[in-house]
Structure formats: structure tokens, C-alpha cells
């Protein structure tokens, strides 16, 4: 009886994760469940084993069906790996663009540590969210040698955003309709990539309708970029994981998550300030019309997020 109850409970937990992954959820409880869907779906494995023990063949069949469904939701994280690697291998002479994204936790991250990270990885572009005026004032002189060009809309609390670049920025634009600052600028280099720094509001603990609206608005914004406008990079704290339908919808055409493109899968970035490792992957780099050489999560000293470092490559015709 105990094994039967445990089996049912575990399988129900896994099914909740599967449903949360599949739905275009708008309610807070299901959006939180989607954030943790990959954790909830882990219950399918012990649930299937216990169901087989408690109920025999039909229990095994039911458990296997739940387990297979859970696995199917996560397979796209790996599926594109070989396609992208073959694409890059064929074009190994492409010129490169390195992008570093960081959420600096209301401006309270260790800015000296951030500068050291820039010096270590030497990105061409750095995108920052939760950038306060005080943090920007401290960073500008420290980054002047490596990233002398900047387009910044700093703000108190978590609303500020910045794009810092090794090369000049043009076509700078602040996009309306978002609670936090959403910026874009084109980098004056071969390929002329258009770079976005984004930070949609979280669906929790605030009312989730703003998150739903902003993810939809971001999708519309990206869809309007002409295909012949060149490569695009969208870096930021999306407050969304691959298990959120609205985040996957951003990738239904031209764009691909850099972690998915390389087969890196889920790069967990939050929370990074606790005793346990990060649990959810909400910081991402999306790319269009670029190959992804590598992508990794990096520690941002003093922040509650890990950052994302993506090494990208232009197609020969764009470089």
C-alpha cells in the first residue's frame, strides 16, 4: 500500500511537470511549476519503478509512458547539437563575436570581480541588467580600456540595463512597453550584429500578467527584424526557462538558444547566492543567423545569478 501511494504521488508530480511544460500557462502556480518542471519530471523514474512493483505490468506500462513523455520534453535541449556542430565545422573560417551577459543583482555584485571576469574572457560585448547609476559610474572608468563604448539606461533597483562594447555602437534604441529597460544597438564590426539586452519582469512574486505580456511583446519585436538585416544577439535575464512555452515560442523561427545550439542543454544560473547550486536556467543568449562555437555559465562574484558567456561566429558572407 505504501509503495502504491508513493508510486501514484511520484507519477502525479511528474505529470504536473509535463503539463506545465506543454501549456502556455498564465497563472502563477503553473508558471512556477514550469520553472521547476525539469525537477518535477525527475519523479517519473522512481515513480515508474514503484508502479511496476506495486501494480505489475500495467503499472510498469503507465510509469513508462510518463517517463517517456517527460524525456520527450527535454530532448529538444540536445536535438540540435549535431546540426549546429556540423554547420560550424563547415565554416571554421568565420570571424567571431564573444558576448558576456550578467545580472548584477540591483547593482550590488562585486564590480571588481566583474571587471576581472571581463579581463579574463575579453568579450566583444557585455550586457548588464539590474544596472544602477552608481554601478555604471564605477564601471565606466574600469572598462574604458577593454569596452570603451556603451549604451546605457541605468536606473535604481532592478530596472537598469546596459550594453558595453569593444567597438562603436550605432542604431541605439530604447524599446517602450517594458517595465525594465530593454535596449538594442548595432556593433560596428564585420557582420554588424544587432545586440539586445533584455530583462522581462519575473512571473513571481509579482502578478504574472506583466511577464506574459512582456514575453509576447518581445516575440513580436524580434519577429519584426528583417531577415536581411544581419545577425542578431539577444542576451539577458529572461526570467523564463526552456520549460516555459512563451520562452520556447521565441525560438519558433529564426532564433535559437545558444545552449541548445551546442547541446549544452540547461545552463542553470539562478539562484547563485545560496548554499546549493543554481536550480533553474533563466539567463540566456539567443542568436539568429550566427553559429555558436561555445556557451557556458560563469560565476559573477557577488551576484545572485550566474552569467552566460557565448562565443559566436558569423557566416562568411556576413564577416
Amino acid at each position: 500500500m505504501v509503495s502504491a501511494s508513493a508510486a501514484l504521488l511520484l507519477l502525479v508530480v511528474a505529470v504536473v511537470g509535463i503539463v506545465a511544460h506543454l501549456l502556455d500557462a498564465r497563472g502563477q502556480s503553473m508558471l512556477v511549476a514550469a520553472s521547476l518542471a525539469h525537477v518535477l519530471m525527475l519523479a517519473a523514474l522512481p515513480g515508474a519503478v514503484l508502479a511496476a512493483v506495486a501494480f505489475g505490468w500495467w503499472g510498469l506500462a503507465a510509469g513508462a509512458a510518463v517517463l517517456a513523455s517527460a524525456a520527450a520534453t527535454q530532448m529538444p535541449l540536445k536535438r540540435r547539437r549535431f546540426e549546429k556542430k556540423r554547420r560550424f565545422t563547415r565554416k571554421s573560417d568565420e570571424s567571431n563575436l564573444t558576448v558576456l551577459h550578467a545580472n548584477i543583482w540591483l547593482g550590488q555584485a562585486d564590480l571588481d570581480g566583474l571587471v576581472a571576469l571581463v579581463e579574463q574572457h575579453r568579450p566583444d560585448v557585455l550586457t548588464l541588467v539590474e544596472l544602477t547609476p552608481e554601478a555604471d559610474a564605477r564601471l565606466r572608468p574600469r572598462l574604458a580600456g577593454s569596452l570603451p563604448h556603451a549604451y546605457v539606461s541605468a536606473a535604481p533597483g532592478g530596472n537598469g540595463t546596459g550594453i558595453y562594447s569593444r567597438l562603436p555602437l550605432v542604431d541605439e534604441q530604447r524599446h517602450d512597453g517594458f517595465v525594465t529597460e530593454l535596449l538594442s544597438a548595432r556593433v560596428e564590426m564585420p557582420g554588424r550584429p544587432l545586440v539586445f539586452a533584455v530583462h522581462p519582469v519575473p512571473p513571481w512574486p509579482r502578478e504574472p500578467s506583466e511577464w506574459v505580456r512582456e514575453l509576447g511583446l518581445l516575440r513580436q519585436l524580434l519577429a519584426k527584424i528583417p531577415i536581411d538585416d544581419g545577425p542578431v544577439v539577444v542576451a539577458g535575464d529572461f526570467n523564463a526557462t526552456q520549460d516555459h512555452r512563451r520562452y520556447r515560442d521565441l525560438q519558433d523561427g529564426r532564433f535559437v538558444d545558444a545552449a541548445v545550439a551546442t547541446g549544452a542543454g540547461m545552463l542553470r544560473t539562478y539562484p547563485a547566492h545560496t548554499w546549493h547550486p543554481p536550480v533553474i536556467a533563466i539567463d540566456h543568449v539567443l542568436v539568429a543567423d550566427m553559429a555558436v562555437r561555445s556557451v557556458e555559465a560563469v560565476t559573477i562574484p557577488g551576484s545572485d545569478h550566474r552569467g552566460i558567456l557565448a562565443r559566436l561566429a558569423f557566416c562568411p558572407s556576413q564577416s
Side-chain angles (χ1 to χ4, degrees):
M1 181 63 70
V2 173
S3 62
S5 299
L8 291 173
L9 177 60
L10 289 168
L11 292 179
V12 166
V13 168
V15 168
V16 169
I18 295 167
V19 171
H21 170 93
L22 295 173
L23 288 179
D24 180 11
R26 296 171 182 242
Q28 195 166 71
S29 59
M30 195 57 73
L31 287 171
V32 171
S35 298
L36 299 171
H38 64 287
V39 177
L40 300 177
M41 285 186 271
L42 291 175
L45 182 56
V49 172
L50 287 177
V53 171
F55 303 111
W57 286 108
W58 74 265
L60 176 61
V66 174
L67 184 60
S69 298
T73 68
Q74 304 303 304
M75 285 302 292
L77 296 177
K78 301 292 184 179
R79 188 173 297 155
R80 296 182 185 176
R81 161 175 49 181
F82 306 108
E83 298 172 6
K84 294 296 178 181
K85 283 185 176 178
R86 286 198 300 267
R87 179 183 174 188
F88 180 72
T89 300
R90 290 196 300 267
K91 300 175 180 177
S92 58
D93 61 342
E94 296 163 343
S95 58
N96 302 323
L97 175 73
T98 299
V99 176
L100 175 63
H101 158 72
N103 179 319
I104 59 170
W105 198 7
L106 309 176
Q108 299 174 25
D110 179 354
L111 301 183
D112 291 335
L114 177 62
V115 172
L117 196 66
V118 169
E119 293 173 350
Q120 176 186 353
H121 294 291
R122 303 184 66 82
D124 300 294
V125 174
L126 168 69
T127 62
L128 297 181
V129 298
E130 302 198 7
L131 177 65
T132 61
E134 296 78 11
D136 178 54
R138 288 181 56 195
L139 283 170
R140 291 285 186 114
R142 300 290 306 278
L143 295 175
S146 54
L147 300 170
H149 307 279
Y151 177 43
V152 168
S153 182
N159 290 349
T161 302
I163 302 173
Y164 302 79
S165 174
R166 181 175 61 85
L167 295 163
L169 298 172
V170 297
D171 300 337
E172 298 168 342
Q173 187 172 358
R174 175 187 177 274
H175 299 273
D176 293 329
F178 297 87
V179 174
T180 63
E181 297 297 283
L182 193 149
L183 308 179
S184 67
R186 193 176 298 279
V187 184
E188 284 282 56
M189 65 183 300
R192 303 188 77 241
L194 179 62
V195 176
F196 286 80
V198 305
H199 188 202
V201 295
W204 182 89
R206 64 189 301 148
E207 209 283 322
S209 61
E210 280 296 306
W211 178 91
V212 172
R213 184 189 63 81
E214 289 196 357
L215 265 291
L217 184 58
L218 180 58
R219 184 184 183 190
Q220 295 173 21
L221 177 64
L222 298 181
K224 291 178 181 177
I225 301 172
I227 293 178
D228 59 359
D229 205 32
V232 186
V233 178
V234 187
D237 170 8
F238 288 75
N239 278 306
T241 74
Q242 286 284 355
D243 288 308
H244 285 108
R245 176 70 175 270
R246 293 221 153 206
Y247 180 69
R248 296 198 306 279
D249 284 347
L250 297 177
Q251 306 166 63
D252 63 1
R254 214 174 141 199
F255 289 84
V256 62
D257 187 299
V260 175
T262 60
M266 192 177 298
L267 296 178
R268 296 170 176 85
T269 59
Y270 183 84
H273 61 305
T274 57
W275 60 267
H276 57 79
V279 176
I280 57 177
I282 58 176
D283 297 85
H284 309 278
V285 172
L286 290 177
V287 299
D289 304 324
M290 299 193 79
V292 182
R293 298 179 60 206
S294 66
V295 62
E296 61 182 300
V298 295
T299 298
I300 307 299
S303 178
D304 59 341
H305 286 244
R306 299 195 79 197
I308 297 292
L309 178 70
R311 300 189 186 277
L312 312 172
F314 298 104
C315 297
S317 61
Q318 298 166 335
S319 59

